[in-house]
Structures are given as C-alpha cells and as structure tokens.
Amino acid sequence: MLKKILIALGALVIVLLIAPAILPSKMKIVRSIEIQGSPAIVHTYLADLNQYPKWNPFSEDDPGSTNQITGNGIGSSLAWKGEKTGEGKMTITQLQPNQLVQLKLEFYTPMAGEAIIEWITDAIDANKTRMTWTMDEDMRYFHRYFGLFMDGMIGKTFERGLGNLKKQIEKS
C-alpha cells in the first residue's frame, strides 16, 4: 500500500512539473466599453495618470492603498502600495494621440512580474469612443498555472474599471 501511495505521489509531482510546459506561456486579457465622448477627450483622461485614481478599480478593493504619481507624458509613473494590491509601478512608455496609451506594469509584491497594459481608443463616431483595456504578460514557468484563472479574475476588475471610467467621463 505504501508503495502505491509513493508511486501516485511521484506521478503527481511529475505531472505538476511537466504541465506548465504545455500551458500557454503568454496571457492576454482584453475588455472594452463604449463611452459617450470623443477619442480626444477619452485619450486626454487616460494619458494623465493623475486621473487614474478616480477610476482605478484596484483601489476600490484596497481603500488603504497609496499612490505616488510622478511626471507627465511618456515616462510618467504611478507607484502603488497596499495591503491587498501589493506593491508595484506603472509607467507610460508610449502615447499615440487619441489612439493609445501604453504602460509598463511592474509588480514587486506579493509576486514579482511585468506586464504591458494598453488603453486603446477607437472612434465610433465624433462623440462616441470604444475604449479597450488590454494586459499582456509573459508567464514564467510555474506562474502559467495562474494564467488559467487570470482572465476571469482580472477581467472582472477591468470591467469595473471601464465602468468607472465611463461614469467619470460622461458626468464631466
């Protein structure tokens, strides 16, 4: 009986060590919303990290978290620290007027990692914009297990954030 338990345990360990090799090494989360406002208005709001705390869905889950914003435009950053949100920093790496804000996302705690965020604005018409929030991350070997659940977890938070952004812009 002990031999069967050890064989089963050994097989489980082997499966857990090999499974990440067949899991996706990249994770992409994509969510969109339509906003009553021109792409210029939406883009201006997104390109200013001082506006982000007003619609940041992650802060809602961690009201004691703090933000430190530095700079304007490309190179500007927002560093955060919180009990639930951990610690990290996002930095604007690319701006394309009325089209794109790209950010490098660095996670320090609870798990180190990096991702690329894009906030994309597309004109539906002169006063309506489709805003898309994407997150791309290369998953390290054992983190690939987390990739199986990230879209469901982070995607819902992105949806809440997009709803917050829509309310902020449409009430202005």
Side-chain angles (χ1 to χ4, degrees):
M1 174 128 160
L2 181 60
K3 185 177 178 180
K4 288 181 182 181
I5 292 172
L6 290 174
I7 289 171
L9 189 58
L12 179 63
V13 168
I14 289 170
V15 167
L16 290 175
L17 292 174
I18 294 173
I22 60 173
L23 292 173
S25 63
K26 296 188 181 290
M27 177 198 62
K28 183 170 187 115
I29 299 169
V30 180
R31 296 295 189 276
S32 296
I33 197 165
E34 290 182 7
I35 298 173
Q36 285 296 125
S38 70
I41 290 170
V42 176
H43 180 82
T44 299
Y45 208 83
L46 297 171
D48 179 2
L49 291 179
N50 290 293
Q51 299 298 319
Y52 183 66
K54 296 176 184 175
W55 61 277
N56 177 1
F58 298 98
S59 295
E60 292 175 343
D61 298 333
D62 194 357
S65 65
T66 60
N67 295 313
Q68 181 178 0
I69 301 165
T70 57
N72 292 314
I74 294 176
S76 63
S77 65
L78 181 146
W80 75 87
K81 189 172 189 174
E83 185 176 315
K84 293 180 183 176
T85 55
E87 186 175 357
K89 180 179 176 182
M90 59 188 212
T91 305
I92 294 179
T93 57
Q94 186 178 355
L95 291 171
Q96 294 176 8
N98 305 335
Q99 296 176 27
L100 172 75
V101 176
Q102 186 180 76
L103 304 111
K104 178 181 179 182
L105 194 57
E106 299 170 273
F107 303 102
Y108 306 137
T109 63
M111 243 183 349
E114 289 185 3
I116 298 296
I117 296 289
E118 289 187 339
W119 294 328
I120 303 162
T121 51
D122 293 305
I124 295 172
D125 61 37
N127 294 310
K128 189 182 266 187
T129 302
R130 171 169 296 284
M131 197 296 226
T132 303
W133 188 349
T134 71
M135 178 176 165
D136 288 290
E137 184 173 357
D138 291 327
M139 302 299 286
R140 290 184 286 178
Y141 194 76
F142 287 110
H143 288 182
R144 293 177 189 177
Y145 286 113
F146 295 112
L148 297 172
F149 309 102
M150 294 297 278
D151 188 75
M153 293 181 340
I154 302 296
K156 289 178 183 180
T157 306
F158 278 17
E159 290 167 8
R160 197 163 22 107
L162 289 168
N164 294 346
L165 176 66
K166 178 181 174 83
K167 287 177 194 168
Q168 285 291 318
I169 290 174
E170 291 181 356
K171 79 176 184 182
S172 298

